[in-house]
Amino acid sequence: MTFWLGMLLGVYVLLMVGLGMYAGSRVNNEEDYLVAGRRLPLWLAWGTLLATWFGAATVLGSSEAARAEGVQGTILDPFASGLALIVAGLFFARRVWEMKLLTVGDLFAQKYGPKTELVSSIVQALGYLPWIAAQYLALAAILGYFFGIDHFAAILIAAVFVTFLTMIGGMWSVTLTDTVQICVVLISLVILGVNFTTEVGNGSITAGIETTWQQTPPELRTLLPEAGLLALLGWTTTWINGIFGNIPGQDLMQRIFASRSGTVASRACILAGCAYILFGLLPVGLGLASRQLWPDELPQGSDGQVILALAELLLSPVGICLMVVTLLAIVVSTCTSAMLSPAALLSHNLLHRITWFDERRLLTSRLSVGIVALASLPLALTSEAILELLESALAVGLVALLVPFVAGVFLKPRGELPGLLSIGCGGLFWMGHQIAAALISFEPDSFFFILLSIPSELTGLLASIIGYLIGQRLSPSSDALRS
């Protein structure tokens, strides 16, 4: 099997490098590099959106969550995350595309001013670093598990490969490689799903799906929350975080900016969101179905991964090799997208304030990819628990950036103060809630215990809204400024 795995991996690497070099030949300026010249057709726009969202968390994480917690454990991924794309397509895509932006930082610059642009870009760019480091770790784990490569060397190999793919062609490179990789991913998942349902259903896919659903306990088949106010708040927060926490993200908006038109951007988001939920049901279903085969524990050798255990049981050696390359493709696709997003903010909204970089915009964009890659390396090399930082990094975007972003798209902010207060209040209240919950203990029935039991994302969002409203109140109106 090692021979076939090496062959498939070699073909994959050569194909990705070839696509990356071809993409690099299409890049002539900063706009080409950051948003593919705003020329993406529908099939490329929705393909790169789907690939960006359909990461290792969807394939591996949701299958494990479904096995452990049932359907309710998969609310964040794929259901809420898929709805985020649909919401973006219905309400945001056309509006932000018509602004002709290159980054989310540009929106804050237009609607609030340079100080808000600076703060928002720094907040968002830093939030991507642990996410990139996590992808390094995931790639290193796969290379170490199947090829016996040293952990340190595997991280460096992963970092060099994804940095090359991202740096050489920017958005064009990421888009082309994303679209090819998502095709490989979906084909592999469909093959695995068909093999399993056919096996369970005695040759019938429909019978296999019905059998799996009927044998799954009712409490594991529902998306509804458990009884109790705190459970309802936690359930609601998960939906809010998944749907709205992704909206101001540079990775999503960059693909909207890169679309050929506002209509293409809107349709691409909606199509990608529907496809994401549809194909996301495959790992969810496989996670539920694995309970029939292994009610207690997964077999040894699967490293605790449902998908790997099912692949070893149901696929041929060549099929297993294809699945391994699929996992690599998923992580590479996620990592290149995650790397380009903070690099765009760094080059276009931060470094361009310096004359030398402003005069060399395309070079600065490429250099920024390398800076982001190097900045995320120490996190991967020094921490095995990097995944613990991811939820916090995503939450910062929700509590600090969502309110001023939405207000910038739909309302008329009065200068810098509403944006700065919204970002500051949301971030500080969320951080204070987190610290207080970790360090201070109260009696279970006390008011403060109940208060700290409320999800910090909700308190941060409320503080961000209040900060924006106070900023609007304290800022002079546009009529007053003109007079």
PDB file of all heavy atoms in Angstrom, residues 159-187:
ATOM      1  N   ALA A 159       4.679  23.386   5.922  1.00  0.00           N
ATOM      2  CA  ALA A 159       4.713  24.844   5.831  1.00  0.00           C
ATOM      3  C   ALA A 159       5.286  25.304   4.494  1.00  0.00           C
ATOM      4  O   ALA A 159       4.756  26.230   3.856  1.00  0.00           O
ATOM      5  CB  ALA A 159       5.536  25.416   6.978  1.00  0.00           C
ATOM      6  N   VAL A 160       6.354  24.666   4.043  1.00  0.00           N
ATOM      7  CA  VAL A 160       6.979  25.057   2.773  1.00  0.00           C
ATOM      8  C   VAL A 160       6.038  24.809   1.607  1.00  0.00           C
ATOM      9  O   VAL A 160       5.891  25.653   0.704  1.00  0.00           O
ATOM     10  CB  VAL A 160       8.308  24.295   2.576  1.00  0.00           C
ATOM     11  CG1 VAL A 160       8.827  24.488   1.152  1.00  0.00           C
ATOM     12  CG2 VAL A 160       9.345  24.768   3.583  1.00  0.00           C
ATOM     13  N   PHE A 161       5.358  23.667   1.612  1.00  0.00           N
ATOM     14  CA  PHE A 161       4.480  23.305   0.491  1.00  0.00           C
ATOM     15  C   PHE A 161       3.311  24.276   0.368  1.00  0.00           C
ATOM     16  O   PHE A 161       3.036  24.822  -0.705  1.00  0.00           O
ATOM     17  CB  PHE A 161       3.971  21.875   0.679  1.00  0.00           C
ATOM     18  CG  PHE A 161       3.069  21.399  -0.431  1.00  0.00           C
ATOM     19  CD1 PHE A 161       3.520  21.366  -1.734  1.00  0.00           C
ATOM     20  CD2 PHE A 161       1.771  20.979  -0.159  1.00  0.00           C
ATOM     21  CE1 PHE A 161       2.701  20.920  -2.763  1.00  0.00           C
ATOM     22  CE2 PHE A 161       0.948  20.528  -1.170  1.00  0.00           C
ATOM     23  CZ  PHE A 161       1.412  20.503  -2.476  1.00  0.00           C
ATOM     24  N   VAL A 162       2.590  24.513   1.475  1.00  0.00           N
ATOM     25  CA  VAL A 162       1.418  25.395   1.396  1.00  0.00           C
ATOM     26  C   VAL A 162       1.836  26.847   1.164  1.00  0.00           C
ATOM     27  O   VAL A 162       1.113  27.607   0.501  1.00  0.00           O
ATOM     28  CB  VAL A 162       0.531  25.272   2.657  1.00  0.00           C
ATOM     29  CG1 VAL A 162      -0.048  23.885   2.765  1.00  0.00           C
ATOM     30  CG2 VAL A 162       1.296  25.633   3.914  1.00  0.00           C
ATOM     31  N   THR A 163       2.998  27.236   1.684  1.00  0.00           N
ATOM     32  CA  THR A 163       3.478  28.601   1.443  1.00  0.00           C
ATOM     33  C   THR A 163       3.786  28.798  -0.035  1.00  0.00           C
ATOM     34  O   THR A 163       3.455  29.839  -0.625  1.00  0.00           O
ATOM     35  CB  THR A 163       4.730  28.890   2.284  1.00  0.00           C
ATOM     36  OG1 THR A 163       4.417  28.727   3.671  1.00  0.00           O
ATOM     37  CG2 THR A 163       5.224  30.313   2.049  1.00  0.00           C
ATOM     38  N   PHE A 164       4.412  27.806  -0.659  1.00  0.00           N
ATOM     39  CA  PHE A 164       4.709  27.892  -2.097  1.00  0.00           C
ATOM     40  C   PHE A 164       3.427  28.031  -2.906  1.00  0.00           C
ATOM     41  O   PHE A 164       3.322  28.899  -3.787  1.00  0.00           O
ATOM     42  CB  PHE A 164       5.488  26.656  -2.548  1.00  0.00           C
ATOM     43  CG  PHE A 164       5.635  26.560  -4.044  1.00  0.00           C
ATOM     44  CD1 PHE A 164       6.596  27.309  -4.702  1.00  0.00           C
ATOM     45  CD2 PHE A 164       4.804  25.738  -4.788  1.00  0.00           C
ATOM     46  CE1 PHE A 164       6.727  27.239  -6.082  1.00  0.00           C
ATOM     47  CE2 PHE A 164       4.920  25.656  -6.164  1.00  0.00           C
ATOM     48  CZ  PHE A 164       5.891  26.410  -6.814  1.00  0.00           C
ATOM     49  N   LEU A 165       2.433  27.163  -2.621  1.00  0.00           N
ATOM     50  CA  LEU A 165       1.180  27.206  -3.386  1.00  0.00           C
ATOM     51  C   LEU A 165       0.486  28.554  -3.242  1.00  0.00           C
ATOM     52  O   LEU A 165      -0.090  29.077  -4.200  1.00  0.00           O
ATOM     53  CB  LEU A 165       0.230  26.094  -2.929  1.00  0.00           C
ATOM     54  CG  LEU A 165       0.608  24.650  -3.270  1.00  0.00           C
ATOM     55  CD1 LEU A 165      -0.481  23.692  -2.795  1.00  0.00           C
ATOM     56  CD2 LEU A 165       0.825  24.480  -4.772  1.00  0.00           C
ATOM     57  N   THR A 166       0.524  29.111  -2.043  1.00  0.00           N
ATOM     58  CA  THR A 166      -0.152  30.380  -1.799  1.00  0.00           C
ATOM     59  C   THR A 166       0.629  31.546  -2.378  1.00  0.00           C
ATOM     60  O   THR A 166       0.059  32.444  -3.014  1.00  0.00           O
ATOM     61  CB  THR A 166      -0.345  30.606  -0.289  1.00  0.00           C
ATOM     62  OG1 THR A 166      -0.928  29.446   0.299  1.00  0.00           O
ATOM     63  CG2 THR A 166      -1.251  31.794  -0.034  1.00  0.00           C
ATOM     64  N   MET A 167       1.929  31.542  -2.200  1.00  0.00           N
ATOM     65  CA  MET A 167       2.758  32.676  -2.576  1.00  0.00           C
ATOM     66  C   MET A 167       2.854  32.866  -4.075  1.00  0.00           C
ATOM     67  O   MET A 167       2.817  33.994  -4.579  1.00  0.00           O
ATOM     68  CB  MET A 167       4.161  32.516  -1.980  1.00  0.00           C
ATOM     69  CG  MET A 167       5.092  33.690  -2.259  1.00  0.00           C
ATOM     70  SD  MET A 167       6.752  33.426  -1.588  1.00  0.00           S
ATOM     71  CE  MET A 167       6.423  33.605   0.164  1.00  0.00           C
ATOM     72  N   ILE A 168       2.928  31.790  -4.821  1.00  0.00           N
ATOM     73  CA  ILE A 168       3.252  31.923  -6.233  1.00  0.00           C
ATOM     74  C   ILE A 168       2.125  32.558  -7.038  1.00  0.00           C
ATOM     75  O   ILE A 168       2.367  33.343  -7.948  1.00  0.00           O
ATOM     76  CB  ILE A 168       3.633  30.544  -6.837  1.00  0.00           C
ATOM     77  CG1 ILE A 168       4.224  30.731  -8.242  1.00  0.00           C
ATOM     78  CG2 ILE A 168       2.426  29.602  -6.862  1.00  0.00           C
ATOM     79  CD1 ILE A 168       4.816  29.482  -8.815  1.00  0.00           C
ATOM     80  N   GLY A 169       0.882  32.233  -6.700  1.00  0.00           N
ATOM     81  CA  GLY A 169      -0.212  32.744  -7.524  1.00  0.00           C
ATOM     82  C   GLY A 169      -1.314  33.452  -6.776  1.00  0.00           C
ATOM     83  O   GLY A 169      -2.295  33.884  -7.387  1.00  0.00           O
ATOM     84  N   GLY A 170      -1.189  33.582  -5.462  1.00  0.00           N
ATOM     85  CA  GLY A 170      -2.203  34.292  -4.712  1.00  0.00           C
ATOM     86  C   GLY A 170      -3.584  33.676  -4.854  1.00  0.00           C
ATOM     87  O   GLY A 170      -3.757  32.461  -4.802  1.00  0.00           O
ATOM     88  N   MET A 171      -4.572  34.530  -5.065  1.00  0.00           N
ATOM     89  CA  MET A 171      -5.960  34.069  -5.140  1.00  0.00           C
ATOM     90  C   MET A 171      -6.189  33.154  -6.329  1.00  0.00           C
ATOM     91  O   MET A 171      -6.975  32.204  -6.252  1.00  0.00           O
ATOM     92  CB  MET A 171      -6.900  35.279  -5.215  1.00  0.00           C
ATOM     93  CG  MET A 171      -8.362  34.929  -5.040  1.00  0.00           C
ATOM     94  SD  MET A 171      -8.672  34.236  -3.399  1.00  0.00           S
ATOM     95  CE  MET A 171     -10.384  33.775  -3.563  1.00  0.00           C
ATOM     96  N   TRP A 172      -5.504  33.407  -7.439  1.00  0.00           N
ATOM     97  CA  TRP A 172      -5.654  32.517  -8.593  1.00  0.00           C
ATOM     98  C   TRP A 172      -5.165  31.114  -8.239  1.00  0.00           C
ATOM     99  O   TRP A 172      -5.812  30.106  -8.561  1.00  0.00           O
ATOM    100  CB  TRP A 172      -4.864  33.049  -9.792  1.00  0.00           C
ATOM    101  CG  TRP A 172      -5.619  33.993 -10.675  1.00  0.00           C
ATOM    102  CD1 TRP A 172      -5.290  35.282 -10.960  1.00  0.00           C
ATOM    103  CD2 TRP A 172      -6.835  33.728 -11.388  1.00  0.00           C
ATOM    104  NE1 TRP A 172      -6.223  35.835 -11.799  1.00  0.00           N
ATOM    105  CE2 TRP A 172      -7.173  34.911 -12.090  1.00  0.00           C
ATOM    106  CE3 TRP A 172      -7.656  32.617 -11.518  1.00  0.00           C
ATOM    107  CZ2 TRP A 172      -8.309  35.016 -12.898  1.00  0.00           C
ATOM    108  CZ3 TRP A 172      -8.800  32.708 -12.315  1.00  0.00           C
ATOM    109  CH2 TRP A 172      -9.107  33.893 -12.989  1.00  0.00           C
ATOM    110  N   SER A 173      -4.015  31.037  -7.602  1.00  0.00           N
ATOM    111  CA  SER A 173      -3.462  29.740  -7.222  1.00  0.00           C
ATOM    112  C   SER A 173      -4.373  29.015  -6.241  1.00  0.00           C
ATOM    113  O   SER A 173      -4.681  27.832  -6.406  1.00  0.00           O
ATOM    114  CB  SER A 173      -2.074  29.938  -6.593  1.00  0.00           C
ATOM    115  OG  SER A 173      -1.550  28.721  -6.125  1.00  0.00           O
ATOM    116  N   VAL A 174      -4.822  29.737  -5.208  1.00  0.00           N
ATOM    117  CA  VAL A 174      -5.692  29.134  -4.201  1.00  0.00           C
ATOM    118  C   VAL A 174      -6.994  28.655  -4.832  1.00  0.00           C
ATOM    119  O   VAL A 174      -7.492  27.562  -4.529  1.00  0.00           O
ATOM    120  CB  VAL A 174      -5.969  30.146  -3.063  1.00  0.00           C
ATOM    121  CG1 VAL A 174      -7.049  29.625  -2.129  1.00  0.00           C
ATOM    122  CG2 VAL A 174      -4.685  30.421  -2.289  1.00  0.00           C
ATOM    123  N   THR A 175      -7.553  29.448  -5.727  1.00  0.00           N
ATOM    124  CA  THR A 175      -8.833  29.096  -6.353  1.00  0.00           C
ATOM    125  C   THR A 175      -8.716  27.837  -7.204  1.00  0.00           C
ATOM    126  O   THR A 175      -9.554  26.917  -7.104  1.00  0.00           O
ATOM    127  CB  THR A 175      -9.327  30.266  -7.219  1.00  0.00           C
ATOM    128  OG1 THR A 175      -9.559  31.397  -6.386  1.00  0.00           O
ATOM    129  CG2 THR A 175     -10.619  29.901  -7.928  1.00  0.00           C
ATOM    130  N   LEU A 176      -7.708  27.784  -8.055  1.00  0.00           N
ATOM    131  CA  LEU A 176      -7.564  26.630  -8.952  1.00  0.00           C
ATOM    132  C   LEU A 176      -7.272  25.348  -8.171  1.00  0.00           C
ATOM    133  O   LEU A 176      -7.868  24.302  -8.427  1.00  0.00           O
ATOM    134  CB  LEU A 176      -6.462  26.901  -9.971  1.00  0.00           C
ATOM    135  CG  LEU A 176      -6.758  28.001 -11.005  1.00  0.00           C
ATOM    136  CD1 LEU A 176      -5.541  28.244 -11.882  1.00  0.00           C
ATOM    137  CD2 LEU A 176      -7.958  27.614 -11.869  1.00  0.00           C
ATOM    138  N   THR A 177      -6.351  25.432  -7.211  1.00  0.00           N
ATOM    139  CA  THR A 177      -6.030  24.231  -6.438  1.00  0.00           C
ATOM    140  C   THR A 177      -7.202  23.831  -5.547  1.00  0.00           C
ATOM    141  O   THR A 177      -7.475  22.636  -5.368  1.00  0.00           O
ATOM    142  CB  THR A 177      -4.772  24.463  -5.576  1.00  0.00           C
ATOM    143  OG1 THR A 177      -4.947  25.631  -4.770  1.00  0.00           O
ATOM    144  CG2 THR A 177      -3.544  24.636  -6.457  1.00  0.00           C
ATOM    145  N   ASP A 178      -7.925  24.814  -5.000  1.00  0.00           N
ATOM    146  CA  ASP A 178      -9.109  24.512  -4.190  1.00  0.00           C
ATOM    147  C   ASP A 178     -10.135  23.719  -4.978  1.00  0.00           C
ATOM    148  O   ASP A 178     -10.698  22.728  -4.498  1.00  0.00           O
ATOM    149  CB  ASP A 178      -9.773  25.817  -3.709  1.00  0.00           C
ATOM    150  CG  ASP A 178      -9.183  26.330  -2.413  1.00  0.00           C
ATOM    151  OD1 ASP A 178      -8.292  25.646  -1.854  1.00  0.00           O
ATOM    152  OD2 ASP A 178      -9.599  27.396  -1.953  1.00  0.00           O
ATOM    153  N   THR A 179     -10.413  24.175  -6.200  1.00  0.00           N
ATOM    154  CA  THR A 179     -11.474  23.554  -6.999  1.00  0.00           C
ATOM    155  C   THR A 179     -11.128  22.116  -7.347  1.00  0.00           C
ATOM    156  O   THR A 179     -11.986  21.231  -7.299  1.00  0.00           O
ATOM    157  CB  THR A 179     -11.719  24.382  -8.277  1.00  0.00           C
ATOM    158  OG1 THR A 179     -12.020  25.740  -7.904  1.00  0.00           O
ATOM    159  CG2 THR A 179     -12.878  23.815  -9.079  1.00  0.00           C
ATOM    160  N   VAL A 180      -9.868  21.868  -7.699  1.00  0.00           N
ATOM    161  CA  VAL A 180      -9.452  20.492  -8.003  1.00  0.00           C
ATOM    162  C   VAL A 180      -9.520  19.632  -6.744  1.00  0.00           C
ATOM    163  O   VAL A 180     -10.018  18.489  -6.770  1.00  0.00           O
ATOM    164  CB  VAL A 180      -8.021  20.481  -8.584  1.00  0.00           C
ATOM    165  CG1 VAL A 180      -7.498  19.053  -8.701  1.00  0.00           C
ATOM    166  CG2 VAL A 180      -8.002  21.159  -9.944  1.00  0.00           C
ATOM    167  N   GLN A 181      -9.058  20.170  -5.633  1.00  0.00           N
ATOM    168  CA  GLN A 181      -9.005  19.391  -4.396  1.00  0.00           C
ATOM    169  C   GLN A 181     -10.399  19.058  -3.874  1.00  0.00           C
ATOM    170  O   GLN A 181     -10.638  17.958  -3.373  1.00  0.00           O
ATOM    171  CB  GLN A 181      -8.204  20.149  -3.337  1.00  0.00           C
ATOM    172  CG  GLN A 181      -6.718  20.173  -3.651  1.00  0.00           C
ATOM    173  CD  GLN A 181      -5.904  21.004  -2.684  1.00  0.00           C
ATOM    174  OE1 GLN A 181      -4.898  20.546  -2.168  1.00  0.00           O
ATOM    175  NE2 GLN A 181      -6.306  22.232  -2.435  1.00  0.00           N
ATOM    176  N   ILE A 182     -11.347  19.977  -3.993  1.00  0.00           N
ATOM    177  CA  ILE A 182     -12.686  19.685  -3.479  1.00  0.00           C
ATOM    178  C   ILE A 182     -13.344  18.587  -4.307  1.00  0.00           C
ATOM    179  O   ILE A 182     -14.139  17.792  -3.785  1.00  0.00           O
ATOM    180  CB  ILE A 182     -13.562  20.961  -3.445  1.00  0.00           C
ATOM    181  CG1 ILE A 182     -14.801  20.718  -2.569  1.00  0.00           C
ATOM    182  CG2 ILE A 182     -13.976  21.402  -4.825  1.00  0.00           C
ATOM    183  CD1 ILE A 182     -14.524  20.372  -1.147  1.00  0.00           C
ATOM    184  N   CYS A 183     -13.016  18.508  -5.599  1.00  0.00           N
ATOM    185  CA  CYS A 183     -13.546  17.407  -6.425  1.00  0.00           C
ATOM    186  C   CYS A 183     -13.029  16.059  -5.921  1.00  0.00           C
ATOM    187  O   CYS A 183     -13.791  15.093  -5.806  1.00  0.00           O
ATOM    188  CB  CYS A 183     -13.157  17.614  -7.884  1.00  0.00           C
ATOM    189  SG  CYS A 183     -13.965  19.021  -8.675  1.00  0.00           S
ATOM    190  N   VAL A 184     -11.731  15.996  -5.598  1.00  0.00           N
ATOM    191  CA  VAL A 184     -11.150  14.761  -5.061  1.00  0.00           C
ATOM    192  C   VAL A 184     -11.801  14.398  -3.730  1.00  0.00           C
ATOM    193  O   VAL A 184     -12.148  13.233  -3.482  1.00  0.00           O
ATOM    194  CB  VAL A 184      -9.619  14.931  -4.878  1.00  0.00           C
ATOM    195  CG1 VAL A 184      -9.024  13.702  -4.197  1.00  0.00           C
ATOM    196  CG2 VAL A 184      -8.954  15.173  -6.218  1.00  0.00           C
ATOM    197  N   VAL A 185     -12.007  15.383  -2.884  1.00  0.00           N
ATOM    198  CA  VAL A 185     -12.599  15.160  -1.562  1.00  0.00           C
ATOM    199  C   VAL A 185     -14.001  14.594  -1.686  1.00  0.00           C
ATOM    200  O   VAL A 185     -14.355  13.590  -1.052  1.00  0.00           O
ATOM    201  CB  VAL A 185     -12.616  16.478  -0.761  1.00  0.00           C
ATOM    202  CG1 VAL A 185     -13.449  16.325   0.507  1.00  0.00           C
ATOM    203  CG2 VAL A 185     -11.205  16.915  -0.416  1.00  0.00           C
ATOM    204  N   LEU A 186     -14.830  15.222  -2.507  1.00  0.00           N
ATOM    205  CA  LEU A 186     -16.226  14.798  -2.614  1.00  0.00           C
ATOM    206  C   LEU A 186     -16.343  13.416  -3.246  1.00  0.00           C
ATOM    207  O   LEU A 186     -17.172  12.600  -2.827  1.00  0.00           O
ATOM    208  CB  LEU A 186     -17.015  15.831  -3.424  1.00  0.00           C
ATOM    209  CG  LEU A 186     -17.095  17.233  -2.811  1.00  0.00           C
ATOM    210  CD1 LEU A 186     -17.964  18.140  -3.667  1.00  0.00           C
ATOM    211  CD2 LEU A 186     -17.623  17.179  -1.390  1.00  0.00           C
ATOM    212  N   ILE A 187     -15.511  13.138  -4.238  1.00  0.00           N
ATOM    213  CA  ILE A 187     -15.537  11.808  -4.866  1.00  0.00           C
ATOM    214  C   ILE A 187     -15.187  10.733  -3.842  1.00  0.00           C
ATOM    215  O   ILE A 187     -15.852   9.694  -3.752  1.00  0.00           O
ATOM    216  CB  ILE A 187     -14.562  11.770  -6.066  1.00  0.00           C
ATOM    217  CG1 ILE A 187     -15.116  12.618  -7.226  1.00  0.00           C
ATOM    218  CG2 ILE A 187     -14.341  10.329  -6.534  1.00  0.00           C
ATOM    219  CD1 ILE A 187     -14.127  12.808  -8.357  1.00  0.00           C
TER     220      ILE A 187
END
